[in-house]
Amino acid sequence: MHWKHLLLEEKMVTLSFLQQEKEIYMNKIINFTPAQSEYRGIGFINSHKSENKIMIIADEMISKTKSEKLKLLEIIVDRSNRIDLDRTKIRRLQIWMKKDYINAIVVRNIFELSTDINNLLQFMKQAEQLNVAIYSMETGLNPVSYTHLTLP
């Protein structure tokens, strides 16, 4: 009877060892698996500055978002003087949002999208419904709640 008890203990030790090995292996997999994937976004610059200045702004935008694990697929430059949402460059941005391919829109300042409060609220609500975050280089991700928005 004593040998049966030893055999049972040996099996338990073996099972315990195998369980430990499995946990070590799983921990190695978890440690090598990145927890957060890279996000995809579109940059948007509303400016009348020179081409050289626009390139500097775009480089800053790319550099800033890279550190946030956000890859910019395109940077749209809007040189119009309009504030409404019915602009060619805003429509292009909305097409990207509807494709369900991007996670974020990157702007220097939220008011580059529009300085008209109603238009801005409408745009932010649309982005929220499409699960697209707005990343402001000044204040970070989702810089303002669209229900508490105040103009500068």
Side-chain angles (χ1 to χ4, degrees):
M1 192 122 165
H2 184 67
W3 63 272
K4 288 183 179 179
H5 183 67
L6 286 175
L7 189 59
L8 183 59
E9 278 184 18
E10 187 178 305
K11 285 183 180 179
M12 288 176 58
V13 168
T14 303
L15 287 174
S16 176
F17 177 75
L18 290 175
Q19 181 65 28
Q20 287 175 341
E21 287 294 309
K22 180 181 175 185
E23 287 176 10
I24 290 169
Y25 176 74
M26 289 175 69
N27 280 328
K28 285 180 182 178
I29 291 172
I30 290 169
N31 289 336
F32 289 113
T33 304
Q36 182 178 2
S37 62
E38 188 172 72
Y39 296 102
R40 295 177 306 272
I42 299 296
F44 185 83
I45 301 171
N46 186 353
S47 179
H48 297 93
K49 295 183 178 181
S50 70
E51 195 67 35
N52 194 32
K53 289 280 190 185
I54 296 288
M55 294 304 289
I56 291 169
I57 294 167
D59 286 342
E60 289 172 1
M61 193 176 273
I62 291 167
S63 175
K64 177 82 172 172
T65 56
K66 211 178 262 190
S67 67
E68 301 287 336
K69 293 188 177 187
L70 200 161
K71 180 181 179 181
L72 292 181
L73 304 176
E74 179 181 357
I75 296 177
I76 299 171
V77 179
D78 184 3
R79 295 183 177 273
S80 71
N81 288 324
R82 297 171 54 195
I83 61 169
D84 62 334
L85 295 178
D86 192 27
R87 319 189 305 251
T88 305
K89 303 298 180 165
I90 292 288
R91 283 195 305 272
R92 185 167 167 185
L93 190 56
Q94 289 169 324
I95 289 169
W96 270 108
M97 289 167 46
K98 291 175 184 174
K99 284 183 180 180
D100 196 32
Y101 189 69
I102 64 168
N103 311 88
I105 294 167
V106 180
V107 293
R108 289 182 299 165
N109 178 303
I110 191 76
F111 298 105
E112 286 196 7
L113 296 166
S114 179
T115 54
D116 178 85
I117 191 74
N118 292 323
N119 285 333
L120 189 52
L121 292 173
Q122 179 184 349
F123 185 87
M124 292 175 76
K125 187 169 180 126
Q126 179 186 24
E128 183 180 315
Q129 290 170 345
L130 295 169
N131 295 317
V132 175
I134 299 175
Y135 180 89
S136 166
M137 290 176 54
E138 288 181 352
T139 55
L141 196 59
N142 291 330
V144 285
S145 166
Y146 67 87
T147 58
H148 298 93
L149 192 62
T150 56
L151 289 171

